[in-house]
Amino acid sequence: MSLLSLALSLVFLVLSFLAPHTLTAFLGLGALGVAAFARLEPRVRTLNLALLTLAFTLFLRNSGNTLGLIGLVGILVALTTLPRIPRGIRVVLGLAILLLSVPIAGFTNTFIFELGIQIGIFAAMALGLNVVVGMAGLLDLGYAAFFAVGAYTWAIFGSPQAGKFLQGNFPLPGEYMYLFMFIAVVTTAITGLLIGLPALRLRGDYLAIVTLGLGEVVRILANNLDHPINITNGPQGITPVARPPIDWFRSLIAHLGVRLDETTDYQLFFYLLVLAMIGLVVLANVNLANSRFGRAWVAIREDEIAAQAMGIPLLPTKLLAFMTGAAFSGVMGVIYGAQRTFVSPESFTLLASITILAMVILGGMGSIPGAILGAAALTILNLDILKTFSEFVRTSLPWIPSQVDPAKYERLVFGLILILMMIYRPQGLIPEARHRAELEEEA
Amino acid sequence: MLEQILVLLPQVLFDGLILGFIYAMIALGYTMVYGVLELINFAHSEIFMIGAVTGVEVFRYLAPLIPNGYLLLLVAVVVGAAVAGLTAILVERMAYRPLRRRGTTNRLVPLVTAIGVSFFLQDLVRLIEGLWHNEFFLRMRTVPDLEGSFTLFGGAIFLQTKSVIVVVVSVLMLLGLTYLVNRTKLGMAIRAVAQDLSTASLMGINPDQIISRTFLIGGALGGVAGVLFALIYTTINPYVGFLPGIKAFTAAVLGGIGNIPGAMLGGLVLGQLENFFGTYLPILTAGNFGTEYKDVVAFLILIFILLFRPQGLLGQMVKEKV
């Protein structure tokens, strides 16, 4: 068994050099499946994962095919979830994938950078929502509203827009983006407080509807606050949003001997920035989960009345969860606005909120690696797999009417994911430890 | 300004009434399912949308065959009710029943499922319409019989024949439902299950069957509301259910969720409020805040009710048992 899996990985490695095609990638994914699920010695498995990391990286460098990225995500998941892999190897391999493999692939195919950045932004948001839904058990269906508040916080001041209702020199220079990341934490936390104060007194299912309503209210405001005073520029959105200057970053990278061109420099910068943010968010999440507050949240999730009886103040504890989740989302909103240089109400619909919710649920409520996996899976599905499928339908199945474009059917896919997960695996793909313990008790 | 308001008032009240009846009919579906299962059936707004789309399709294909507009509308209402009711039953079978079988105590699980169903149905309808007609933005076909209009009170109210039909059909539907719930055996069973499911099942009622029928009735009412909505507002797409759905839910909460007369009252009140604000907000704020804020009004009403009178206008307080 171990020989077979190693052989598979080696074959894939060789083929990555000779024939980096789609079929080869599927062979690699198969090899990864064997490495992850077959009964192997821990040592053999570790070696195998290292081999596969190398192979997928080479495959990506030679082809730029996004299936390779799926393979890398799979290896990351295997590294975080499989037992008895030495910790040092986990860290080294994980960092190698994030800091070397993905950028190398990105230079071959810049779309991979785009994917990485989007995955990162969504992963950070899923982690934020994971605090609210997963840990505290508060179903928030208006989460995109906080994202919007964060994005607009920077977009209004980082573009000529602010000059339309304030005296002063706008746009502010790009360096201010870092400052506004902190300001966005404050503005979104205040928004969370304002939304949470009325909503959090309600029972779970009412809370869901009210947050949905308030999320829509924020979107309607963003859409219509172009009169009487033009604050948000209404449905046209705000563009161009300033980006931070990155000359220091270019020279730093040049010292490392990598030549950046006009297209990849910002991509790489934002990719690394988002990675750093995720690191911070994960750190915050882990510490929160083990803190007094995290335990109080879980207690509220499991049994509100018992928690209250044990002296946990309900409303402040829930508000704190709400504001924490909002703050994560707000920071990501600033980065999102700067990266796309364009912000409009269209990005903050109910669909966006449900997308993030689906990520949390797919991964597993309350589970940190789960939220990241969910974000990666759904982002790749949305931006890449569905689009590829659309190409396929257009070219190979011409009898299908032109209006039926699979890339436009995200709701169908997300809806199905939500339904199937709830029926067959409500604890998610990577269940939280507590849920896992519960399941073992039942079994 | 005051004169402007007074001149428009009769018309505004009447338009609000039509909107209110449509909300009332959708709200009944929410309220009945909530009464029986304590589940906010998010997908109900899509059941309503399916009714509307069915209405459009019936008009598209049968208008040349059925010369009489009233008969055509009757067929559309019946077919819309049937399709929507069956969809509701299917949704309950495929999505909610497995969860009940597993017996989760967690409230979030059914709610998340319902959201999933709602999204799934929106795009499923889009897919079907796309494959069928290569478009999913639909227009209701106009039938000359139903397009008349007349004025009342010396021109103070302008009435379309359509709106009168909507009022008549809704009133009939609501009366029919009241009769069904209060006077028939099925209605008694529904009320019994709503009061206490496990005791009802000990009394020889099959709860699964009753839940199914509750979904059928609620879905059929939603479907009729959809057909009437399509008749009045004429432009329909697969995403048209969302806002009316949320507002009808607000109406159900306003009346007291689980309470059938409450849902009717809540719908009528909300229809009036929304139409009132939608018409007068631009006038009152000198054009600074336009009609687009009328949706915000519904949400704010929802929040205020839930905060200050969560049991609604006609509901009773339910103590949470520990």
Side-chain angles (χ1 to χ4, degrees), chain B residues 209-257:
Chain B
Q209 185 192 23
I210 295 301
I211 287 167
S212 239
R213 293 201 179 163
T214 308
F215 270 85
L216 173 71
I217 295 164
L221 277 170
V224 173
V227 174
L228 297 177
F229 183 87
L231 182 72
I232 298 261
Y233 296 93
T234 63
T235 42
I236 298 295
N237 65 57
Y239 308 109
V240 86
F242 172 65
L243 272 177
I246 290 289
K247 286 171 187 165
F249 174 76
T250 305
V253 173
L254 175 60
I257 191 122

Short mmCIF file of all heavy atoms in Angstrom, two decimals, chain B residues 209-257:
data_model
loop_
_atom_site.label_atom_id
_atom_site.label_comp_id
_atom_site.label_asym_id
_atom_site.label_seq_id
_atom_site.Cartn_x
_atom_site.Cartn_y
_atom_site.Cartn_z
N GLN B 209 -48.56 13.27 7.96
CA GLN B 209 -49.58 13.54 6.95
C GLN B 209 -50.13 14.95 7.13
O GLN B 209 -50.30 15.70 6.16
CB GLN B 209 -50.69 12.50 7.12
CG GLN B 209 -51.76 12.58 6.06
CD GLN B 209 -52.95 11.73 6.46
OE1 GLN B 209 -53.18 11.45 7.63
NE2 GLN B 209 -53.73 11.34 5.47
N ILE B 210 -50.39 15.32 8.38
CA ILE B 210 -50.96 16.64 8.64
C ILE B 210 -49.97 17.74 8.28
O ILE B 210 -50.33 18.76 7.69
CB ILE B 210 -51.38 16.76 10.13
CG1 ILE B 210 -52.49 15.76 10.43
CG2 ILE B 210 -51.83 18.17 10.46
CD1 ILE B 210 -53.73 15.95 9.59
N ILE B 211 -48.69 17.51 8.60
CA ILE B 211 -47.67 18.50 8.24
C ILE B 211 -47.62 18.67 6.73
O ILE B 211 -47.59 19.78 6.21
CB ILE B 211 -46.30 18.07 8.81
CG1 ILE B 211 -46.30 18.28 10.33
CG2 ILE B 211 -45.17 18.88 8.19
CD1 ILE B 211 -45.16 17.63 11.05
N SER B 212 -47.67 17.52 6.03
CA SER B 212 -47.69 17.56 4.57
C SER B 212 -48.85 18.42 4.07
O SER B 212 -48.70 19.25 3.18
CB SER B 212 -47.85 16.15 4.03
OG SER B 212 -46.78 15.83 3.21
N ARG B 213 -50.02 18.19 4.66
CA ARG B 213 -51.20 18.93 4.18
C ARG B 213 -51.12 20.40 4.54
O ARG B 213 -51.61 21.25 3.79
CB ARG B 213 -52.46 18.31 4.77
CG ARG B 213 -52.64 16.93 4.20
CD ARG B 213 -54.02 16.42 4.28
NE ARG B 213 -54.01 15.09 3.67
CZ ARG B 213 -54.96 14.21 3.85
NH1 ARG B 213 -55.98 14.49 4.62
NH2 ARG B 213 -54.89 13.04 3.26
N THR B 214 -50.52 20.68 5.69
CA THR B 214 -50.33 22.07 6.05
C THR B 214 -49.47 22.77 4.99
O THR B 214 -49.79 23.87 4.54
CB THR B 214 -49.63 22.18 7.42
OG1 THR B 214 -50.34 21.39 8.35
CG2 THR B 214 -49.57 23.61 7.88
N PHE B 215 -48.39 22.10 4.60
CA PHE B 215 -47.54 22.66 3.55
C PHE B 215 -48.33 22.82 2.26
O PHE B 215 -48.17 23.81 1.54
CB PHE B 215 -46.32 21.77 3.31
CG PHE B 215 -45.14 22.13 4.17
CD1 PHE B 215 -45.02 21.63 5.45
CD2 PHE B 215 -44.16 22.97 3.70
CE1 PHE B 215 -43.94 21.96 6.25
CE2 PHE B 215 -43.07 23.31 4.48
CZ PHE B 215 -42.96 22.81 5.76
N LEU B 216 -49.17 21.83 1.95
CA LEU B 216 -49.97 21.91 0.72
C LEU B 216 -50.88 23.14 0.76
O LEU B 216 -50.92 23.92 -0.20
CB LEU B 216 -50.81 20.64 0.57
CG LEU B 216 -51.82 20.67 -0.59
CD1 LEU B 216 -51.08 20.60 -1.91
CD2 LEU B 216 -52.79 19.50 -0.49
N ILE B 217 -51.59 23.33 1.86
CA ILE B 217 -52.53 24.45 1.94
C ILE B 217 -51.79 25.78 1.90
O ILE B 217 -52.12 26.68 1.13
CB ILE B 217 -53.38 24.34 3.22
CG1 ILE B 217 -54.25 23.08 3.15
CG2 ILE B 217 -54.26 25.57 3.39
CD1 ILE B 217 -54.83 22.68 4.48
N GLY B 218 -50.75 25.88 2.74
CA GLY B 218 -49.97 27.12 2.77
C GLY B 218 -49.37 27.40 1.41
O GLY B 218 -49.39 28.54 0.91
N GLY B 219 -48.83 26.35 0.78
CA GLY B 219 -48.21 26.52 -0.54
C GLY B 219 -49.22 26.93 -1.58
O GLY B 219 -48.95 27.79 -2.42
N ALA B 220 -50.41 26.32 -1.54
CA ALA B 220 -51.44 26.65 -2.53
C ALA B 220 -51.85 28.11 -2.38
O ALA B 220 -51.99 28.83 -3.39
CB ALA B 220 -52.64 25.73 -2.36
N LEU B 221 -52.01 28.56 -1.14
CA LEU B 221 -52.36 29.98 -0.93
C LEU B 221 -51.25 30.88 -1.47
O LEU B 221 -51.52 31.89 -2.14
CB LEU B 221 -52.54 30.26 0.56
CG LEU B 221 -53.91 29.92 1.13
CD1 LEU B 221 -53.88 30.02 2.63
CD2 LEU B 221 -54.95 30.88 0.58
N GLY B 222 -50.00 30.51 -1.20
CA GLY B 222 -48.88 31.28 -1.73
C GLY B 222 -48.91 31.30 -3.24
O GLY B 222 -48.63 32.33 -3.87
N GLY B 223 -49.25 30.15 -3.84
CA GLY B 223 -49.32 30.07 -5.30
C GLY B 223 -50.38 30.99 -5.87
O GLY B 223 -50.15 31.70 -6.85
N VAL B 224 -51.57 31.01 -5.23
CA VAL B 224 -52.64 31.91 -5.69
C VAL B 224 -52.16 33.35 -5.58
O VAL B 224 -52.32 34.16 -6.51
CB VAL B 224 -53.92 31.70 -4.85
CG1 VAL B 224 -54.95 32.75 -5.21
CG2 VAL B 224 -54.46 30.31 -5.07
N ALA B 225 -51.53 33.68 -4.44
CA ALA B 225 -51.01 35.04 -4.28
C ALA B 225 -50.03 35.35 -5.40
O ALA B 225 -50.02 36.47 -5.95
CB ALA B 225 -50.32 35.17 -2.92
N GLY B 226 -49.22 34.36 -5.78
CA GLY B 226 -48.25 34.56 -6.86
C GLY B 226 -48.92 34.88 -8.17
O GLY B 226 -48.52 35.80 -8.88
N VAL B 227 -49.97 34.11 -8.51
CA VAL B 227 -50.67 34.34 -9.77
C VAL B 227 -51.25 35.75 -9.78
O VAL B 227 -51.14 36.50 -10.78
CB VAL B 227 -51.78 33.29 -9.98
CG1 VAL B 227 -52.60 33.63 -11.21
CG2 VAL B 227 -51.17 31.91 -10.10
N LEU B 228 -51.87 36.16 -8.67
CA LEU B 228 -52.47 37.50 -8.61
C LEU B 228 -51.38 38.58 -8.70
O LEU B 228 -51.56 39.62 -9.34
CB LEU B 228 -53.26 37.66 -7.31
CG LEU B 228 -54.45 36.71 -7.16
CD1 LEU B 228 -55.12 36.90 -5.82
CD2 LEU B 228 -55.45 36.90 -8.29
N PHE B 229 -50.25 38.31 -8.06
CA PHE B 229 -49.13 39.24 -8.11
C PHE B 229 -48.67 39.43 -9.55
O PHE B 229 -48.44 40.56 -10.01
CB PHE B 229 -48.00 38.67 -7.25
CG PHE B 229 -46.79 39.55 -7.14
CD1 PHE B 229 -46.72 40.54 -6.17
CD2 PHE B 229 -45.70 39.39 -7.98
CE1 PHE B 229 -45.60 41.34 -6.04
CE2 PHE B 229 -44.58 40.19 -7.88
CZ PHE B 229 -44.53 41.17 -6.90
N ALA B 230 -48.58 38.31 -10.27
CA ALA B 230 -48.15 38.39 -11.68
C ALA B 230 -49.18 39.19 -12.49
O ALA B 230 -48.82 39.96 -13.38
CB ALA B 230 -48.00 36.99 -12.25
N LEU B 231 -50.45 39.01 -12.16
CA LEU B 231 -51.51 39.71 -12.89
C LEU B 231 -51.38 41.22 -12.72
O LEU B 231 -51.53 41.99 -13.65
CB LEU B 231 -52.87 39.22 -12.38
CG LEU B 231 -54.10 39.81 -13.06
CD1 LEU B 231 -54.24 39.24 -14.45
CD2 LEU B 231 -55.35 39.49 -12.24
N ILE B 232 -51.08 41.64 -11.49
CA ILE B 232 -51.02 43.08 -11.19
C ILE B 232 -49.69 43.68 -11.61
O ILE B 232 -49.64 44.74 -12.23
CB ILE B 232 -51.21 43.32 -9.67
CG1 ILE B 232 -52.57 42.83 -9.23
CG2 ILE B 232 -50.99 44.78 -9.32
CD1 ILE B 232 -53.62 43.87 -9.11
N TYR B 233 -48.59 43.02 -11.27
CA TYR B 233 -47.28 43.65 -11.48
C TYR B 233 -46.60 43.23 -12.78
O TYR B 233 -45.56 43.79 -13.13
CB TYR B 233 -46.37 43.38 -10.27
CG TYR B 233 -46.91 44.03 -9.02
CD1 TYR B 233 -47.74 43.34 -8.15
CD2 TYR B 233 -46.62 45.35 -8.72
CE1 TYR B 233 -48.25 43.94 -7.01
CE2 TYR B 233 -47.12 45.96 -7.59
CZ TYR B 233 -47.94 45.25 -6.74
OH TYR B 233 -48.45 45.86 -5.62
N THR B 234 -47.11 42.22 -13.45
CA THR B 234 -46.75 41.80 -14.82
C THR B 234 -45.30 41.40 -15.10
O THR B 234 -45.08 40.55 -15.92
CB THR B 234 -47.14 42.86 -15.89
OG1 THR B 234 -46.40 44.05 -15.65
CG2 THR B 234 -48.62 43.15 -15.87
N THR B 235 -44.29 42.00 -14.45
CA THR B 235 -42.93 41.54 -14.74
C THR B 235 -42.48 40.59 -13.64
O THR B 235 -42.49 40.95 -12.46
CB THR B 235 -41.93 42.70 -14.82
OG1 THR B 235 -42.22 43.60 -13.77
CG2 THR B 235 -42.02 43.41 -16.14
N ILE B 236 -42.08 39.40 -14.03
CA ILE B 236 -41.76 38.33 -13.08
C ILE B 236 -40.41 37.75 -13.44
O ILE B 236 -40.08 37.59 -14.62
CB ILE B 236 -42.82 37.21 -13.20
CG1 ILE B 236 -44.20 37.73 -12.82
CG2 ILE B 236 -42.46 36.02 -12.32
CD1 ILE B 236 -44.32 38.16 -11.40
N ASN B 237 -39.59 37.48 -12.43
CA ASN B 237 -38.37 36.71 -12.66
C ASN B 237 -38.16 35.78 -11.48
O ASN B 237 -38.87 35.90 -10.47
CB ASN B 237 -37.18 37.67 -12.88
CG ASN B 237 -36.87 38.47 -11.63
OD1 ASN B 237 -36.60 37.90 -10.58
ND2 ASN B 237 -36.92 39.78 -11.74
N PRO B 238 -37.20 34.86 -11.56
CA PRO B 238 -37.07 33.87 -10.49
C PRO B 238 -36.69 34.45 -9.13
O PRO B 238 -36.75 33.76 -8.13
CB PRO B 238 -35.95 32.95 -10.99
CG PRO B 238 -35.92 33.14 -12.45
CD PRO B 238 -36.34 34.54 -12.71
N TYR B 239 -36.30 35.73 -9.10
CA TYR B 239 -35.86 36.30 -7.83
C TYR B 239 -36.91 37.24 -7.25
O TYR B 239 -36.64 37.99 -6.32
CB TYR B 239 -34.53 37.03 -8.04
CG TYR B 239 -33.54 36.15 -8.72
CD1 TYR B 239 -33.15 36.36 -10.04
CD2 TYR B 239 -33.03 35.03 -8.06
CE1 TYR B 239 -32.26 35.50 -10.66
CE2 TYR B 239 -32.15 34.17 -8.68
CZ TYR B 239 -31.77 34.41 -9.98
OH TYR B 239 -30.90 33.55 -10.58
N VAL B 240 -38.11 37.18 -7.82
CA VAL B 240 -39.14 38.14 -7.45
C VAL B 240 -39.76 37.82 -6.09
O VAL B 240 -40.43 38.66 -5.50
CB VAL B 240 -40.20 38.20 -8.57
CG1 VAL B 240 -41.25 37.12 -8.37
CG2 VAL B 240 -40.84 39.55 -8.64
N GLY B 241 -39.51 36.61 -5.58
CA GLY B 241 -40.17 36.21 -4.34
C GLY B 241 -39.56 36.79 -3.08
O GLY B 241 -40.22 36.88 -2.06
N PHE B 242 -38.31 37.19 -3.16
CA PHE B 242 -37.57 37.53 -1.96
C PHE B 242 -38.22 38.65 -1.13
O PHE B 242 -38.55 38.46 0.03
CB PHE B 242 -36.12 37.90 -2.32
CG PHE B 242 -35.33 38.43 -1.18
CD1 PHE B 242 -35.04 37.63 -0.09
CD2 PHE B 242 -34.87 39.74 -1.19
CE1 PHE B 242 -34.31 38.13 0.97
CE2 PHE B 242 -34.14 40.24 -0.13
CZ PHE B 242 -33.86 39.44 0.95
N LEU B 243 -38.42 39.81 -1.75
CA LEU B 243 -38.95 40.94 -0.97
C LEU B 243 -40.37 40.71 -0.48
O LEU B 243 -40.63 40.87 0.72
CB LEU B 243 -38.85 42.23 -1.78
CG LEU B 243 -37.51 42.98 -1.62
CD1 LEU B 243 -37.48 44.20 -2.50
CD2 LEU B 243 -37.28 43.38 -0.16
N PRO B 244 -41.31 40.31 -1.36
CA PRO B 244 -42.65 40.02 -0.83
C PRO B 244 -42.61 38.96 0.26
O PRO B 244 -43.36 39.03 1.23
CB PRO B 244 -43.42 39.52 -2.06
CG PRO B 244 -42.70 40.05 -3.21
CD PRO B 244 -41.26 40.17 -2.82
N GLY B 245 -41.70 37.99 0.10
CA GLY B 245 -41.61 36.93 1.09
C GLY B 245 -41.21 37.47 2.45
O GLY B 245 -41.83 37.18 3.47
N ILE B 246 -40.15 38.29 2.47
CA ILE B 246 -39.70 38.87 3.74
C ILE B 246 -40.79 39.74 4.34
O ILE B 246 -41.04 39.74 5.54
CB ILE B 246 -38.43 39.71 3.50
CG1 ILE B 246 -37.26 38.82 3.16
CG2 ILE B 246 -38.09 40.55 4.72
CD1 ILE B 246 -36.77 38.01 4.32
N LYS B 247 -41.48 40.50 3.48
CA LYS B 247 -42.51 41.39 4.01
C LYS B 247 -43.69 40.60 4.53
O LYS B 247 -44.28 40.96 5.56
CB LYS B 247 -42.94 42.37 2.94
CG LYS B 247 -41.87 43.41 2.72
CD LYS B 247 -42.19 44.24 1.53
CE LYS B 247 -41.03 45.15 1.23
NZ LYS B 247 -41.18 45.69 -0.12
N ALA B 248 -44.03 39.52 3.83
CA ALA B 248 -45.14 38.70 4.32
C ALA B 248 -44.77 38.07 5.66
O ALA B 248 -45.59 37.94 6.55
CB ALA B 248 -45.48 37.63 3.30
N PHE B 249 -43.51 37.71 5.79
CA PHE B 249 -43.07 37.17 7.08
C PHE B 249 -43.23 38.24 8.15
O PHE B 249 -43.71 37.98 9.26
CB PHE B 249 -41.63 36.69 7.02
CG PHE B 249 -41.10 36.28 8.35
CD1 PHE B 249 -41.46 35.07 8.90
CD2 PHE B 249 -40.27 37.12 9.08
CE1 PHE B 249 -41.02 34.70 10.14
CE2 PHE B 249 -39.83 36.75 10.33
CZ PHE B 249 -40.19 35.54 10.86
N THR B 250 -42.83 39.48 7.81
CA THR B 250 -43.03 40.59 8.73
C THR B 250 -44.50 40.70 9.10
O THR B 250 -44.85 40.90 10.27
CB THR B 250 -42.56 41.90 8.08
OG1 THR B 250 -41.21 41.74 7.68
CG2 THR B 250 -42.66 43.06 9.04
N ALA B 251 -45.37 40.56 8.10
CA ALA B 251 -46.81 40.64 8.35
C ALA B 251 -47.24 39.55 9.32
O ALA B 251 -48.03 39.79 10.25
CB ALA B 251 -47.57 40.52 7.04
N ALA B 252 -46.70 38.33 9.12
CA ALA B 252 -47.07 37.23 10.00
C ALA B 252 -46.63 37.51 11.43
O ALA B 252 -47.37 37.24 12.39
CB ALA B 252 -46.45 35.93 9.48
N VAL B 253 -45.44 38.06 11.58
CA VAL B 253 -44.94 38.38 12.92
C VAL B 253 -45.76 39.51 13.52
O VAL B 253 -46.08 39.51 14.71
CB VAL B 253 -43.45 38.77 12.86
CG1 VAL B 253 -42.96 39.27 14.21
CG2 VAL B 253 -42.62 37.59 12.43
N LEU B 254 -46.12 40.48 12.68
CA LEU B 254 -46.90 41.62 13.14
C LEU B 254 -48.24 41.15 13.70
O LEU B 254 -48.69 41.62 14.74
CB LEU B 254 -47.12 42.59 11.97
CG LEU B 254 -48.00 43.80 12.16
CD1 LEU B 254 -47.44 44.68 13.25
CD2 LEU B 254 -48.08 44.60 10.87
N GLY B 255 -48.85 40.19 13.03
CA GLY B 255 -50.14 39.69 13.51
C GLY B 255 -50.00 38.73 14.67
O GLY B 255 -50.95 38.49 15.40
N GLY B 256 -48.82 38.16 14.83
CA GLY B 256 -48.63 37.14 15.86
C GLY B 256 -48.40 35.83 15.13
O GLY B 256 -49.32 35.26 14.56
N ILE B 257 -47.14 35.37 15.13
CA ILE B 257 -46.84 34.21 14.29
C ILE B 257 -47.55 32.98 14.83
O ILE B 257 -47.65 32.79 16.04
CB ILE B 257 -45.31 34.00 14.15
CG1 ILE B 257 -45.00 32.99 13.07
CG2 ILE B 257 -44.69 33.58 15.45
CD1 ILE B 257 -44.12 33.52 11.99
#
